[in-house]
Amino acid sequence: MKGLKYIIFSFVICFMALNTVLAEVCEYTYSEGANNYSFKCTVNNNTFSCNFVGLSSVYKKVDSNNNLVNASSTEVIKLKKSDFLDSAGKVNCNNVKSIKVDFNVDNSMNWEVYNVGNNISCTVANSVYNQNKGNYLYTRCYTFNLKGASSTVTSEETGTGVGTSNNNFNTDNFCVGAVQGVFTTIGWVFFFLKILVPIALIVFGSIDFGKAVIASKDDEIKKSAKALIMRVIAGVIIFFVPTILSFVVSIFDKDNIYNGTFTNCTQCMLDPKHVFNDGSVCSSLGGN
């Protein structure tokens, strides 16, 4: 029974890792002089979330009495998961090529963000700024471009938002660096567990069986022998968990995403000592 629990736990960890791999990140950028701001939306089968990266932000809204109050991100960000899905229900970052951010910067250099969306009116920032001029350094309405978007969009206030490089979710280099490091770490956990757990199961089973033999009780000997056999079987199954996982994924992954596009993550999770054709090895967590 304990062996079965270990197996179930291992499979849960594996599929949690798979879910992370299949998540797509749509990244939007705005550049103004030396400043580069970023906004990222993460979309997968279970969750949808967006957040600012590299800047201090707070969400605000104007209530019915025209007072500025704290707000949640869901009240301010006018984007939803369906905006990023194509007709086939798959994530396509190109569905939303740009977004607008309506905000003020206060005296502490925090961004007070009032609206974020691909189709919003940039009016709140001006009205709030005019009412409380002494509380803000400046007011803005920026257009952030999706990385890799071909168009160049000018903000309503200053500067130009320019998309850079390719779409941040690049299948050719996704499984490198920190991402690959996560799967390598998981691979090392599997590597030690698949050796230590079977050994522990067999050793403890043998001890119980030995005690029963010494006690010379037929019922206890039969019971311990059966338990030992079950533990040996559980140990063998645990040892082959990586192989079993790879087989299961290959059956359900009709688009061959995990074993194809993300082959580096697959190989590093199933074999953390793997050496690639170019001579490189699976990177450790936090590696380059």
Side-chain angles (χ1 to χ4, degrees):
M1 183 61 69
K2 290 183 178 179
L4 182 59
K5 291 180 180 179
Y6 287 127
I7 295 171
I8 294 174
F9 176 76
S10 298
F11 273 104
V12 169
I13 294 297
C14 292
F15 282 103
M16 285 176 63
L18 282 175
N19 189 57
T20 301
V21 170
L22 295 174
E24 292 203 21
V25 179
C26 302
E27 181 175 359
Y28 299 84
T29 60
Y30 179 87
S31 298
E32 180 187 8
N35 297 317
N36 293 286
Y37 307 120
S38 179
F39 182 78
K40 295 184 178 181
C41 289
T42 302
V43 191
N44 63 28
N45 292 333
N46 301 316
T47 61
F48 170 73
S49 61
C50 297
N51 62 285
F52 289 94
V53 179
L55 57 88
S56 177
S57 61
V58 292
Y59 299 114
K60 300 281 186 175
K61 68 175 183 178
V62 177
D63 64 15
S64 57
N65 296 320
N66 208 33
N67 295 317
L68 193 63
V69 296
N70 292 328
S72 66
S73 60
T74 54
E75 292 177 287
V76 171
I77 299 174
K78 312 299 183 183
L79 297 167
K80 51 190 180 297
K81 179 179 178 179
S82 58
D83 293 333
F84 298 86
L85 303 181
D86 60 19
S87 58
K90 294 185 177 181
V91 179
N92 184 352
C93 295
N94 286 310
N95 279 15
V96 183
K97 287 185 177 294
S98 64
I99 60 169
K100 285 185 177 181
V101 180
D102 190 15
F103 68 99
N104 283 324
V105 176
D106 65 19
N107 291 324
S108 300
M109 293 303 294
N110 294 316
W111 284 36
E112 284 189 359
V113 182
Y114 313 121
N115 280 305
V116 180
N118 56 344
N119 186 21
I120 62 169
S121 59
C122 294
T123 57
V124 180
N126 287 325
S127 62
V128 172
Y129 182 85
N130 290 332
Q131 290 176 7
N132 306 282
K133 287 185 178 181
N135 297 328
Y136 302 103
L137 297 178
Y138 55 86
T139 180
R140 290 287 187 272
C141 182
Y142 283 167
T143 298
F144 283 55
N145 272 2
L146 177 69
K147 275 193 172 183
S150 58
S151 60
T152 298
V153 184
T154 304
S155 78
E156 294 189 5
E157 293 287 334
T158 61
T160 300
V162 181
T164 58
S165 73
N166 293 321
N167 188 323
N168 188 60
F169 185 74
N170 190 327
T171 56
D172 293 330
N173 59 22
F174 181 75
C175 284
V176 298
V179 174
Q180 187 184 111
V182 170
F183 283 87
T184 302
T185 302
I186 294 173
W188 280 115
V189 171
F190 283 151
F191 179 79
F192 289 110
L193 283 179
K194 77 175 187 178
I195 295 174
L196 296 177
V197 172
I199 291 176
L201 289 173
I202 294 172
V203 168
F204 287 116
S206 299
I207 292 174
D208 291 341
F209 181 71
K211 289 179 179 179
V213 171
I214 294 173
S216 299
K217 295 181 179 180
D218 291 341
D219 290 342
E220 289 296 324
I221 291 174
K222 290 179 181 179
K223 183 178 179 180
S224 297
K226 183 178 179 180
L228 177 59
I229 293 173
M230 294 302 295
R231 289 178 178 182
V232 170
I233 293 174
V236 171
I237 293 175
I238 290 173
F239 184 82
F240 286 105
V241 161
T243 304
I244 296 171
L245 175 64
S246 180
F247 176 72
V248 172
V249 170
S250 66
I251 292 176
F252 290 99
D253 185 18
K254 301 301 183 184
D255 295 328
N256 201 34
I257 293 176
Y258 183 63
N259 283 309
T261 306
F262 300 107
T263 184
N264 286 4
C265 288
T266 306
Q267 292 169 331
C268 291
M269 185 172 71
L270 301 181
D271 179 15
K273 305 184 301 299
H274 182 79
V275 179
F276 297 103
N277 293 333
D278 61 1
S280 62
V281 297
C282 293
S283 63
S284 59
L285 187 60
N288 296 322

